[in-house]
C-alpha cells in the first residue's frame, strides 16, 4: 500500500491553502513571507513547490533582511532559482525599497535627530558600503527631497561641498541634514566624518543654507553630531 503523499504541487493543495487564492480571499496580510515570495517566483520545479523554493531562499539567507542586497547571481545559488526567478525577486525588492523611500520622504516635518534617523534608517541600516544622503528641507522643515550624494565612504576626495549643496541650491532649500551609514554597526564618527561636517557647516553659513545636523546610522543605532556637540 502506497504511503500518504506529502510533497504536493501548489495546484494539488486545497484551494484555501494556495497562496494566490488565499490572498484574493483574505488579503495579503494573511500570507506568510514564503507564500508572498512564492507569488513572485510563480512556479516551482519537479522537486519543490514555489512556496518551498521561497522558504529555501529565506532559510539560506536568513529571512527578508538577507535578501535585500543580493544580486541575481547570488539568488541563483538556490537550486530551482534561475535567471527569470532571480530577476523577478530582485525587481520586487527594488520596488519595495523605492516605495518605502517615497513613504518616508512624504513625512511632513524633520525637526529633530530621531525624525531624521527614522526617515532613512529603514533603507540605510543594512547597506554594505557607506552612502551619504542629504535631507533637503524648506523653511518649515518639510522634506523637499533626499538625494544621494556619494558612495564609498566620507573623505575630502569623495565628498565636496559643491556636490552637497548643488541640489540644495537647485531646489531652493532653506536647510539640510546630512545622513550617512556605518556598515560596521558602530556609529562613532571618524576624523574624516568630523572634518568634512565642519567644512560643510562653514560652507552652509556662507551661502545661507543651514546644516542642521549630521546623522550616522549604524544598524539599529544612530548618532547625532548636534546632540554630541560635534559642530
Amino acid at each position: 500500500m502506497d504511503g500518504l503523499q506529502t510533497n504536493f504541487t501548489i495546484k494539488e493543495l486545497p484551494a484555501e491553502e494556495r497562496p494566490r487564492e488565499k490572498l484574493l480571499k483574505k488579503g495579503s496580510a494573511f500570507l506568510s513571507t514564503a507564500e508572498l515570495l512564492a507569488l513572485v517566483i510563480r512556479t516551482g520545479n519537479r522537486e519543490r513547490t514555489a512556496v518551498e523554493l521561497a522558504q529555501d531562499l529565506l532559510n539560506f539567507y536568513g529571512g527578508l533582511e538577507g535578501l535585500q542586497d543580493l544580486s541575481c547571481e547570488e539568488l541563483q545559488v538556490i537550486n530551482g532559482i534561475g535567471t527569470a526567478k532571480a530577476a523577478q525577486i530582485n525587481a520586487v525588492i527594488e520596488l519595495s525599497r523605492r516605495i518605502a523611500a517615497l513613504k518616508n520622504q512624504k513625512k511632513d516635518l524633520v525637526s529633530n535627530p530621531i525624525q531624521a534617523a527614522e526617515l532613512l534608517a529603514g533603507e540605510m541600516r543594512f547597506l554594505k558600503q557607506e552612502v551619504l544622503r542629504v535631507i533637503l528641507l524648506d523653511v518649515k522643515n518639510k522634506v523637499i527631497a533626499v538625494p544621494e550624494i556619494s558612495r564609498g565612504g566620507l573623505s575630502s576626495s569623495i565628498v565636496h561641498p559643491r556636490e552637497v549643496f548643488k541640489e540644495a541650491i537647485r531646489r531652493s532649500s532653506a536647510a539640510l541634514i546630512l545622513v550617512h551609514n556605518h556598515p560596521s554597526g558602530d556609529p562613532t564618527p571618524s576624523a574624516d566624518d568630523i572634518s568634512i561636517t565642519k567644512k560643510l557647516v562653514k560652507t552652509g553659513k556662507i551661502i545661507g543654507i543651514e546644516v542642521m545636523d549630521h546623522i550616522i546610522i549604524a544598524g539599529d543605532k544612530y548618532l547625532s553630531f548636534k546632540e554630541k556637540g560635534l559642530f
Side-chain angles (χ1 to χ4, degrees), residues 7 11 15 20 27 48 61 95 98-99 103 141 157 174 184 189 202 218 224 230:
N7 189 21
K11 288 183 179 179
R20 183 183 302 162
R48 311 286 280 167
Y61 285 111
L95 279 172
R98 294 184 189 187
I99 289 169
K103 286 182 177 179
N141 287 343
S157 62
S184 66
K202 185 177 180 179
S224 160
L230 294 174

Side-chain angles (χ1 to χ4, degrees), residues 35-192:
E35 288 172 325
L36 290 169
L37 191 54
L39 286 174
V40 174
I41 63 178
R42 297 179 58 202
T43 59
N45 58 20
R46 291 182 179 180
E47 292 79 31
R48 311 286 280 167
T49 66
V51 176
E52 289 170 330
L53 283 179
Q55 192 62 61
D56 289 344
L57 265 173
L58 293 168
N59 291 344
F60 189 81
Y61 285 111
L64 282 177
E65 180 181 323
L67 294 182
Q68 60 181 349
D69 291 317
L70 297 179
S71 66
C72 287
E73 290 75 17
E74 289 171 315
L75 288 167
Q76 291 176 71
V77 167
I78 299 299
N79 186 33
I81 302 296
T83 304
K85 286 181 171 59
Q88 288 161 203
I89 295 167
N90 207 277
V92 168
I93 290 172
E94 180 58 28
L95 279 172
S96 300
R97 186 181 290 119
R98 294 184 189 187
I99 289 169
L102 283 174
K103 286 182 177 179
N104 282 335
Q105 290 173 22
K106 289 181 179 178
K107 291 181 178 179
D108 285 336
L109 298 174
V110 174
S111 55
N112 61 59
I114 293 176
Q115 290 173 332
E118 287 180 345
L119 184 66
L120 293 175
E123 58 182 299
M124 293 186 72
R125 60 162 52 109
F126 301 120
L127 295 177
K128 295 178 181 178
Q129 65 178 147
E130 286 193 25
V131 174
L132 173 65
R133 300 187 69 178
V134 178
I135 302 173
L136 302 179
L137 304 170
D138 66 14
V139 292
K140 295 183 178 179
N141 287 343
K142 289 186 177 180
V143 177
I144 298 171
V146 190
E148 180 178 310
I149 304 301
S150 70
R151 282 180 176 255
L154 267 65
S155 69
S156 57
S157 62
I158 297 175
V159 179
H160 191 281
R162 177 180 59 249
E163 301 304 318
V164 174
F165 288 98
K166 181 170 66 177
E167 280 294 303
I169 293 170
R170 188 175 75 83
R171 294 175 180 266
S172 301
S173 306
L176 60 82
I177 298 174
L178 306 162
V179 183
H180 88 280
N181 64 302
H182 279 183
S184 66
D186 181 359
T188 305
S190 68
D192 273 340

